[in-house]
Amino acid sequence: LESKKNGKNQTTAFNFFMQELHNRMLLIEDALSTAIEKGQLQLHYQPKIEMPSEQIEGVEALLRWTHPSFGSVSPVEFIPIAEEKGFIHKIGGWVVREACLQWSRWNEEHNIRLVIAVNIAPIQLTKEDFYPSLLKILEETQMDPHYLELEITESSSFVFEEKTNIMLTKIRNLGIKISLDDFGTGYSSFSVLKQLPIDTLKIDRSFLKNLLDHVEQEAIVRSIIQLGHNLKFDVLVEGVESIEEVEWLKNEGCDYIQGFFYSKPQRPEDLLTLLKHERIETVTIV
Ligand code: C2E
Ligand code: MG
Ligand code: MG
Ligand code: MG
């Protein structure tokens, strides 16, 4: 009898939990639909470091949402909702425009030209007007396309459809770079990889877990780096947190590194401070 009672309590607790989760999702969905108009979105920028020079080569724009009552909501939570509800097209457009405006400001006011990478949800690529609106944003913001990069997760099979490939090729012909994000966790098969119109493989940070304690894990990461190079792609490893990982990756010929070891994502003004410090160092060395 006692255990039956417990079981019932657990079910009630579970239902309550599910109900709460569902309520939060509905509230977030509602709040997200007006986040742009209310000025609640912001981009932070995380440096990408070139190896072996260890210079900042570019940055990745990462979306931040601060809501007056929820506080800061992680993109891990709200991006899937935006994808599901179709807000992603509008939010994604805002992200590209904001990143290009930021590039133009840095260019004009500080004479700094960094490659800026933006994340694109695979479903955005299925919209007919993705390419024309990209052109429009480039024109309106005076962005030099050679400094723009799109990061596309391999988490969806859309990425590998012929229609998508044709569009990505058109985008690359503008001078924009394409990278395959979270590589190793999604849909790529070796046969499809060789014909993808991309420049860079970004190895997912889950591969760094226990990297240096397990020879098998080392063998996998080493093999992915070699595979990328054999297919003429650059290879970036994300989520690098320690000097030991940096040394190991440098030794394996990894082209770019990104992670908390070098820098967390920064507000634009803080990134500028960081860049200025790096510049001073460069000048001193010369
Ligand atoms: P992602 O594109 O793979 O971005 C990398 C994530 O790992 C970021 O989390 C970043 O802050 C985090 N990270 C970077 N270095 C380290 C590290 O050394 N250690 C650890 N533990 N984490 C690190 P964030 O900003 O929370 O973004 C999560 C995901 O949300 C992104 O993964 C991306 O898929 C998505 N996302 C973010 N901004 C956008 C956006 O503007 N549009 C779209 N469609 N998705 C976005
Ligand atoms: Mg990314
Ligand atoms: Mg990633
Ligand atoms: Mg990732």
Side-chain angles (χ1 to χ4, degrees):
L1 198 93
E2 195 55 33
S3 74
K4 207 172 164 189
K5 212 166 103 194
N6 273 342
K8 193 170 175 221
N9 281 343
Q10 273 169 15
T11 317
T12 316
F14 180 72
N15 285 341
F16 180 74
F17 173 75
M18 289 307 286
Q19 190 60 47
E20 285 299 295
L21 206 65
H22 185 67
N23 287 347
R24 178 168 163 98
M25 262 184 61
L26 290 178
L27 291 172
I28 285 195
E29 186 186 314
D30 187 50
L32 194 56
S33 68
T34 58
I36 294 181
E37 289 77 8
K38 294 186 175 155
Q40 294 165 352
L41 299 183
Q42 253 200 319
L43 293 180
H44 284 191
Y45 297 89
Q46 187 182 34
K48 294 184 179 185
I49 313 295
E50 188 186 60
M51 290 289 127
S53 70
E54 296 195 50
Q55 302 281 329
I56 297 177
E57 182 271 351
V59 289
E60 175 177 4
L62 292 155
L63 190 55
R64 298 292 177 256
W65 177 26
T66 313
H67 183 269
S69 46
F70 299 128
S72 113
V73 186
S74 164
V76 177
E77 182 176 14
F78 71 79
I79 292 287
I81 297 174
E83 287 176 337
E84 161 115 16
K85 295 297 159 193
F87 304 147
I88 194 68
H89 303 286
K90 194 171 149 210
I91 291 177
W94 182 89
V95 168
V96 176
R97 180 178 298 273
E98 181 62 25
C100 291
L101 285 171
Q102 185 62 259
W103 186 89
S104 289
R105 281 196 291 268
W106 282 334
N107 179 32
E108 278 162 29
E109 293 165 22
H110 302 276
N111 201 25
I112 287 175
R113 286 169 292 280
L114 288 170
V115 176
I116 298 193
V118 295
N119 290 283
I120 303 291
I123 196 158
Q124 291 179 255
L125 301 172
T126 64
K127 263 234 154 147
E128 286 298 329
D129 76 339
F130 183 80
Y131 182 77
S133 37
L134 188 60
L135 288 181
K136 194 160 162 248
I137 293 171
L138 290 173
E139 198 191 308
E140 288 173 0
T141 60
Q142 304 280 301
M143 172 74 183
D144 179 344
H146 295 93
Y147 288 92
L148 185 62
E149 179 174 338
L150 307 185
E151 295 194 3
I152 298 158
T153 50
E154 59 149 4
S155 65
S156 154
S157 58
F158 296 137
V159 176
F160 306 103
E161 282 172 15
E162 199 187 338
K163 240 174 104 180
T164 313
N165 275 359
I166 292 170
M167 184 170 44
L168 289 181
T169 305
K170 268 169 58 181
I171 292 173
R172 272 181 96 211
N173 289 341
L174 298 171
I176 296 174
K177 291 178 195 62
I178 310 279
S179 52
L180 198 57
D181 205 350
D182 305 333
F183 182 75
T185 60
Y187 278 77
S188 306
S189 70
F190 294 133
S191 57
V192 87
L193 199 57
K194 66 171 190 291
Q195 66 222 24
L196 276 184
I198 60 168
D199 302 282
T200 308
L201 293 184
K202 289 192 79 173
I203 302 182
D204 191 68
R205 68 181 157 87
S206 59
F207 287 95
L208 285 201
K209 226 175 176 184
N210 308 319
L211 174 70
L212 302 177
D213 313 325
H214 294 82
V215 284
E216 298 87 351
Q217 193 68 357
E218 288 187 357
I220 291 171
V221 175
R222 181 180 296 127
S223 305
I224 301 179
I225 294 173
Q226 285 170 3
L227 169 74
H229 286 163
N230 289 340
L231 293 172
K232 309 279 183 274
F233 301 139
D234 280 333
V235 178
L236 178 150
V237 174
E238 59 180 4
V240 176
E241 294 184 359
S242 74
I243 181 83
E244 290 80 13
E245 290 166 347
V246 170
E247 292 302 330
W248 189 86
L249 290 164
K250 210 195 242 179
N251 198 39
E252 293 299 331
C254 172
D255 306 286
Y256 299 100
I257 283 180
Q258 199 182 347
F260 292 173
F261 176 74
Y262 286 106
S263 169
K264 293 199 164 172
Q266 307 281 338
R267 290 178 306 171
E269 55 274 27
D270 297 334
L271 183 82
L272 219 51
T273 312
L274 202 132
L275 286 175
K276 288 199 171 132
H277 282 295
E278 205 206 16
R279 291 212 153 175
I280 291 164
E281 272 169 34
T282 316
V283 171
T284 326
I285 291 164
V286 172

